[in-house]
Amino acid sequence: MSSYRLDVGEQRIVWGTRLEAAAGQNAGPGGETVKPSADNGLWEWDIPNGVYTAREIVKALSVLLEAIAVQLGESANREALLANIENTLAIAGRETALPLAALELSDYGRLELSEQASRIGMTLSQWARAFDGEARGLQELGDEVLGRLVFRSRCDNHLWTHEVTDMLTGPAGGPSVMQLFNEYLHEIVLLRDALLPFENWQEVPLALTARPSRGLRYTEQAHTAFLSQLLARPLDHKSLVRYAASLLAPELAAGGYGFQYRHGTILPASLGTELAEAPRYLLRWYPVQTVESGERDAIAFAYEYPDYYKAPRSQLGPGSRESRGGEAELGGIAEASLQASLIGNDEAVITFQLSAGADTDTDTYNVDLGQIFRGHRFHYRAGSAEKKPAGASQAHEKLDIAHHAADAVFSLSGLVTNEAGTHEIATGGNELVTRALLGKLYPENVIVLERGDAEELEAAKNAGKRFGAKFLLRPGQDQARWSSVAEASAGKLSI
């Protein structure tokens, strides 16, 4: 079996063993979606055991809408039912099940999940409409079975539109269709919310095995706990990973920044996205077995330093007042590898490894992958410099920046910091080097520059915290270009 290769811009990351797709093999709504009830002559609904994509679960749910339409007969207004589903999955409005739009969100985590909830909700609604139009359940099961699909679905406090309320409680309605629609709404809400952590949510294989309750109701306890936190306060990464595990690996007891389960690896989505656009909190499913798991169904990925405040630190030193040349060697790195090793029954650490050349004698730099994700979550961007009023006086000062080579950072032990000052580290424009530096520097005052020009350096004065050492990760520039920037910006910059 081949190694998994992840291409990110011009670089690649290689690790583990590629897995073949496990989802997409279920037929969806069919005879196995319903089974005879204990009550003579009636039928019940459930999602059969198997490995599903989100789309296939929506397909399995479509049987419930078709049963409602059969039981209501001519009174059925399918458009009203579908509109109610859209309203429930929206993040605003009377019927919403997740009113994120009503909150004044400022933290990265909840902003990302709010946008994610809106995207997923719209897509699930579109799928619900498409599957309802196909009427596969009616074709495969017939109106006799759908007309006797009856089961208990407790009230889950999902609001109905006035039109749907009149329809389900009217002369043709009653407890049977009311509970069928309640179950549909609750299952699709559980599905939407369970998928919130995953950037590539449409691809995630969802393994439904022996469950104590119908459909996705086994996620209810974790769902309630997670939403209570999401609606009340800023999101933390650990809670998001724990919630993701409740869906894919509920047996996993250990914490961490990601995990492996039977059908792939869950890591922060930033690993597979160029840094300028990478989400800070969302996770991503990767079709790879990262660790040889043996008999283990799930393995958590642990940080090298569980509490980075207590991690050993090294001082980077004063550096040079002139821009460093010689960054091309690290800037030319095109590939990184991930090396995983077990540290317990259900935990592993992963090392992000860079080699400065193809020869066996070249330097190799190892950084904890978990700390890279921490550094990315906590890093700052310079933004745009504020324009000064016309005629405003400007102090003519030279740039007060100490320059360091990236390999000087990697050669130190523990996390790297300094007592004071502004320190620039050239990355050669290489995102693999930038990622490794995010994991090696103490994650308190690190600013990633996109261009490294005068305007961005001016903006960097106000980025980050107003105390302690400040680190600027700058795309590679040669000495001549840097000197021209320094001369052009003299009198404008005083970082």
Side-chain angles (χ1 to χ4, degrees), residues 95-111:
E95 290 84 27
T96 178
L98 187 59
L100 289 172
L103 304 179
E104 294 185 7
L105 303 177
S106 58
D107 58 293
Y108 282 110
R110 292 195 295 176
L111 283 170

Side-chain angles (χ1 to χ4, degrees), residues 195-398:
L195 296 168
L196 290 179
F198 308 106
E199 182 190 47
N200 59 339
W201 60 273
Q202 296 190 38
E203 304 173 33
V204 179
L206 309 175
L208 303 185
T209 56
R211 291 152 284 151
S213 53
R214 180 179 290 111
L216 296 173
R217 285 183 175 269
Y218 74 94
T219 67
E220 284 179 317
Q221 185 175 355
H223 174 259
T224 299
F226 179 72
L227 290 196
S228 297
Q229 176 179 336
L230 179 65
L231 294 172
R233 58 188 175 88
L235 182 68
D236 65 88
H237 178 70
K238 184 184 298 183
S239 297
L240 190 66
V241 174
R242 188 184 302 117
Y243 184 50
S246 73
L247 174 71
L248 303 180
E251 72 279 9
L252 189 63
Y257 60 86
F259 60 91
Q260 174 179 296
Y261 74 119
R262 186 176 295 275
H263 301 290
T265 289
I266 303 299
L267 287 171
S270 60
L271 186 66
T273 311
E274 294 189 55
L275 289 173
E277 303 170 356
R280 300 191 186 222
Y281 281 82
L282 291 181
L283 307 175
R284 186 175 181 86
W285 168 77
Y286 300 91
V288 55
Q289 183 184 49
T290 300
V291 188
E292 290 295 334
S293 57
E295 299 298 321
R296 306 170 186 85
D297 286 335
I299 296 173
F301 301 136
Y303 294 98
E304 180 182 10
Y305 305 120
D307 184 353
Y308 68 91
Y309 282 102
K310 298 179 181 178
R313 305 183 199 179
S314 293
Q315 298 291 316
L316 184 56
S320 169
R321 293 301 164 182
E322 293 185 359
S323 179
R324 299 292 297 260
E327 66 239 16
E329 183 178 20
L330 287 185
I333 294 174
E335 181 174 295
S337 63
L338 303 185
Q339 307 295 329
S341 56
L342 287 167
I343 59 173
N345 290 332
D346 59 356
E347 286 189 298
V349 293
I350 305 177
T351 301
F352 186 88
Q353 188 174 90
L354 292 177
S355 294
D359 299 332
T360 56
D361 294 334
T362 57
D363 291 330
T364 298
Y365 307 108
N366 297 314
V367 181
D368 178 56
L369 182 63
Q371 193 64 34
I372 288 176
F373 293 133
R374 261 191 189 136
H376 179 258
R377 286 198 303 277
F378 299 156
H379 85 280
Y380 295 91
R381 293 277 169 172
S384 300
E386 293 183 5
K387 293 184 179 180
K388 296 183 179 180
S393 61
Q394 298 176 351
H396 291 269
E397 299 179 15
K398 284 190 175 182

Side-chain angles (χ1 to χ4, degrees), residues 152-213:
R152 178 73 172 95
S153 175
R154 69 177 185 276
C155 177
D156 294 295
N157 297 312
H158 298 301
L159 293 179
W160 300 340
T161 64
H162 299 304
E163 192 171 6
V164 167
T165 300
D166 292 342
M167 176 171 46
L168 298 184
T169 60
S176 174
V177 292
M178 292 166 62
Q179 293 184 67
L180 290 175
F181 192 58
N182 175 75
E183 190 67 25
Y184 187 102
L185 287 181
H186 193 56
E187 293 285 350
I188 205 165
V189 165
L190 289 175
L191 176 62
R192 189 271 311 274
D193 295 349
L195 296 168
L196 290 179
F198 308 106
E199 182 190 47
N200 59 339
W201 60 273
Q202 296 190 38
E203 304 173 33
V204 179
L206 309 175
L208 303 185
T209 56
R211 291 152 284 151
S213 53

